[in-house]
Amino acid sequence: MTALVVAGSGAQATAAQTDPTTKATASTVPLPAPPVPSLSWTDCQGGFECANADVPLDYRAPEGRKITLAVIRKKAADQTKRKGTLFMQPGGPGNSGVDFVRGNYDDLPAALRDSFDVFGYDVRGVARSSALECWDDTRYTKAVTDAKGAPGPDAFGPALREAAEFNQACTDKSADLLPFVGTEYVARDIDLLRQALGEEQLTYYGRSFGTYIGTVYAALFPKRVRALALDGAYDPVHYANQPYSYDKPQYLALDGAMSRFLDWCKADQATCGFGDGDPRAAFEKLKRDLDANPVPTASGGLANGYTLVYRLMFNINSGKVIWPSFGEALRKAQQRDNTSFLLRPPSPGSFDFLVPNVVVECVDKDYPRDQALLKRNVTAYAKAAPLLGPAMAFGPPTYDHQHATACTQWPGERVSRYDGSYRAKGSKPILVLGTTGDPDTPYQDAVALSRQLDNASLLTFKAEGHTAFGRSACATDAVTGYLVDLKVPAKGATCADETQPPTVTPKVAPPGTTLGELRNGVDERLDRLGSLR
């Protein structure tokens, strides 16, 4: 873990802090210019170079306390043809940008590797950049082991108390960092890194939560945009300022994807092989059976109905190509076979991702503090999304739409959250990508973002699964042409080349999937792109 670095007194930052119940943010007041970090590159194997960048902990006091960010790059093979630096930003919040670049570089199209130095970094509070600490592994393990795939009618009160306990652990262990991990400060870090790399303008690919980071950057620094590709986009207004309006579509999108899988399973029982003609009823029964009688795992843990839901929530992002693997894994779960990848309890690798996922969103989002409103909403969402929704609504704080119980009680300051205009007036054209069956970032979010930005083009991928780049040759080519040559797809452009379900369970992981793990990769932290070139 990289520690916070003290450079001078932190008194300025302390004096500038605001009451946590106010909506004041850094963007509401003029900020003094921060110093540009100096990058001393060293070899870190495989042709990559690594460095550390010291940036202000609090941008209202840029000469005060610093936080050190871990960065990585791989230079373009032919520097005479180099167009600049491509910033690669993974999803999350919580995924490592260093691992994202290192793990996906070889699968990038040759045109990107030839045209750019490919660059990534761990954002503040994540991985090597002063990782946030809340629950330890033992406490998180207890939370996900005690959770249910089909929680009962009295689940709200315990969920609220458990979320408050999570919040207290964050305060106890990370109080100095909590106010400063919001996305406005992340975007300001990017602009300092841009300057440190000698780039006049930013070239950027962001996926999932990385689209929100890119959107905030464009809003703050529209004239500094060369090209921003935002894949699996967030509706920024709903995300930051109307979070219940953001959460509900995510519940529905996730359940919708699961429902379409079960419909396929019923229609193609020979390939799916789960459910004896009624896979929906079989799935509901399986959740209840696993809750009542968890399966011992090889590592000595227990897998229950919540484990099943948790694994489905992430793996369903891979789209139709993984559906036969779901059928096989569900059959194994019915047989209490703990080799099913859907019966792998969340591990410490997951927890490293989940802690910042919760904290950053609680800093970014302006949830009302009314607990009666919270109960009405999460209860309604669980009812509207019956396949996976109840486990999410009443489970512990883990991923995205499970954050409301924690965020409505969030005790910390939120001075680094962004709540300003998202127009990015005066920017160069921005490319937004949306996938029609996306279970994680609903397609309508991409439509909304393309309309909120002053100068944006929307590319639609007609498919199941999360994001488009690397999963669609059509979309991958469009993104590559845009980033390299600034070619913007025509208005109304669509791609429809999703890989269809194979007729048998694949023995080798299809592009963009790992079959047996979270979408975050084999160590449960790495966000994977597909291997289309």
Side-chain angles (χ1 to χ4, degrees):
M1 180 186 302
T2 304
L4 296 180
V5 177
V6 177
S9 170
Q12 288 175 286
T14 302
Q17 290 174 352
T18 62
D19 184 272
T21 61
T22 70
K23 294 185 180 180
T25 66
S27 56
T28 64
V29 293
L31 300 178
V36 177
S38 176
L39 301 177
S40 297
W41 295 100
T42 60
D43 176 79
C44 54
Q45 300 183 338
F48 293 96
E49 296 177 311
C50 294
N52 290 320
D54 290 341
V55 298
L57 175 65
D58 186 353
Y59 276 91
R60 299 167 305 174
E63 298 295 341
R65 198 173 179 183
K66 306 295 183 185
I67 187 169
T68 300
L69 308 178
V71 306
I72 191 171
R73 73 176 178 188
K74 193 166 187 177
K75 288 186 175 180
D78 187 347
Q79 289 288 299
T80 64
K81 298 179 180 179
R82 173 184 176 275
K83 292 180 179 287
T85 299
L86 171 61
F87 279 63
M88 299 283 290
Q89 189 68 56
N95 278 318
S96 163
V98 171
D99 293 343
F100 186 55
V101 167
R102 189 183 286 278
N104 290 293
Y105 180 85
D106 288 343
D107 288 328
L108 292 176
L112 294 181
R113 291 181 280 122
D114 291 343
S115 300
F116 298 103
D117 297 345
V118 179
F119 175 88
Y121 81 105
D122 290 349
V123 305
R124 51 178 61 212
V126 171
R128 303 163 187 84
S129 299
S130 295
L132 288 154
E133 296 182 65
C134 296
W135 276 343
D136 61 20
D137 294 343
T138 299
R139 181 63 187 88
Y140 233 137
T141 297
K142 182 181 187 308
V144 297
T145 301
D146 291 346
K148 302 296 183 184
D154 299 323
F156 176 74
L160 197 63
R161 290 190 292 272
E162 191 164 52
E165 183 183 335
F166 176 89
N167 290 352
Q168 186 60 53
C170 297
T171 301
D172 292 344
K173 297 180 180 180
S174 299
D176 289 349
L177 186 55
L178 295 180
F180 309 115
V181 296
T183 298
E184 177 168 327
Y185 278 19
V186 172
R188 293 188 182 279
D189 290 342
I190 289 176
D191 201 57
L192 282 186
L193 294 171
R194 174 193 62 77
Q195 295 173 66
L197 292 165
E199 299 292 339
E200 287 297 317
Q201 291 185 306
L202 181 71
T203 302
Y204 177 99
Y205 170 80
R207 71 197 308 263
S208 197
F209 185 74
T211 69
Y212 183 65
I213 295 173
T215 298
V216 173
Y217 181 90
L220 290 170
F221 307 105
K223 300 294 186 180
R224 294 299 183 188
V225 171
R226 175 187 173 272
L228 262 64
L230 307 179
D231 186 6
Y234 278 39
D235 178 336
V237 172
H238 281 178
Y239 169 78
N241 301 325
Q242 301 166 25
Y244 286 129
S245 296
Y246 184 82
D247 289 349
K248 182 179 180 180
Q250 195 169 17
Y251 274 91
L252 296 176
L254 179 61
D255 237 52
M258 185 64 191
S259 182
R260 290 188 294 275
F261 158 71
L262 292 173
D263 288 344
W264 166 83
C265 189
K266 183 176 182 178
D268 190 355
Q269 279 280 282
T271 302
C272 177
F274 169 71
D276 296 323
D278 192 351
R280 194 175 297 262
F283 178 68
E284 293 294 348
K285 183 177 186 300
L286 180 58
K287 285 190 297 182
R288 295 192 299 270
D289 289 348
L290 290 171
D291 282 343
N293 192 12
V295 175
T297 66
S299 61
L302 292 172
N304 62 6
Y306 183 84
T307 311
L308 185 77
V309 169
Y310 180 88
R311 288 293 175 194
L312 284 164
M313 173 177 65
F314 285 102
N315 280 283
I316 205 165
N317 283 335
S318 298
K320 290 181 180 179
V321 73
I322 203 173
W323 283 1
S325 298
F326 279 166
E328 180 183 57
L330 287 166
R331 289 197 307 274
K332 285 184 175 181
Q334 280 182 317
Q335 297 160 5
R336 302 181 59 79
D337 180 348
N338 65 14
T339 66
S340 170
F341 69 82
L342 297 178
L343 294 183
R344 294 192 56 193
S347 71
S350 295
F351 306 148
D352 290 345
F353 164 75
L354 295 173
V355 165
N357 191 268
V358 179
V359 173
V360 170
E361 294 207 353
C362 284
V363 174
D364 273 351
K365 292 181 171 184
D366 187 19
Y367 274 97
R369 302 183 77 86
D370 183 342
Q371 292 184 4
L373 176 63
L374 167 69
K375 184 176 183 179
R376 287 197 300 273
N377 279 328
V378 297
T379 301
Y381 301 162
K383 184 177 180 180
L387 294 169
L388 305 180
M392 303 297 99
F394 302 115
T398 52
Y399 182 67
D400 280 14
H401 50 306
Q402 300 157 70
H403 294 166
T405 52
C407 296
T408 54
Q409 305 179 84
W410 189 247
E413 298 174 308
R414 297 182 298 158
V415 297
S416 55
R417 98 179 195 93
Y418 183 80
D419 64 353
S421 167
Y422 296 96
R423 288 180 59 190
K425 185 177 181 180
S427 78
K428 295 288 180 61
I430 294 171
L431 176 60
V432 177
L433 295 94
T435 301
T436 53
D438 197 316
D440 204 339
T441 52
Y443 174 69
Q444 59 262 39
D445 278 25
V447 175
L449 176 60
S450 70
R451 292 172 177 170
Q452 290 162 16
L453 291 166
D454 254 23
N455 192 359
S457 176
L458 175 65
L459 176 63
T460 297
F461 180 33
K462 295 182 177 180
E464 298 293 328
H466 185 42
T467 69
F469 184 83
R471 298 183 54 242
S472 157
C474 169
T476 300
D477 289 347
V479 170
T480 302
Y482 167 71
L483 293 173
V484 174
D485 297 318
L486 304 179
K487 296 178 180 177
V488 179
K491 184 177 180 180
T494 62
C495 295
D497 56 343
E498 181 184 8
T499 302
Q500 296 302 303
T503 56
V504 296
T505 301
K507 302 301 182 185
V508 178
T513 76
T514 54
L515 292 184
E517 297 286 349
L518 287 176
R519 66 180 174 84
N520 300 314
V522 293
D523 66 353
E524 304 191 74
R525 294 176 61 177
L526 178 61
D527 211 2
R528 294 294 304 177
L529 294 171
S531 58
L532 299 171
R533 299 190 188 183

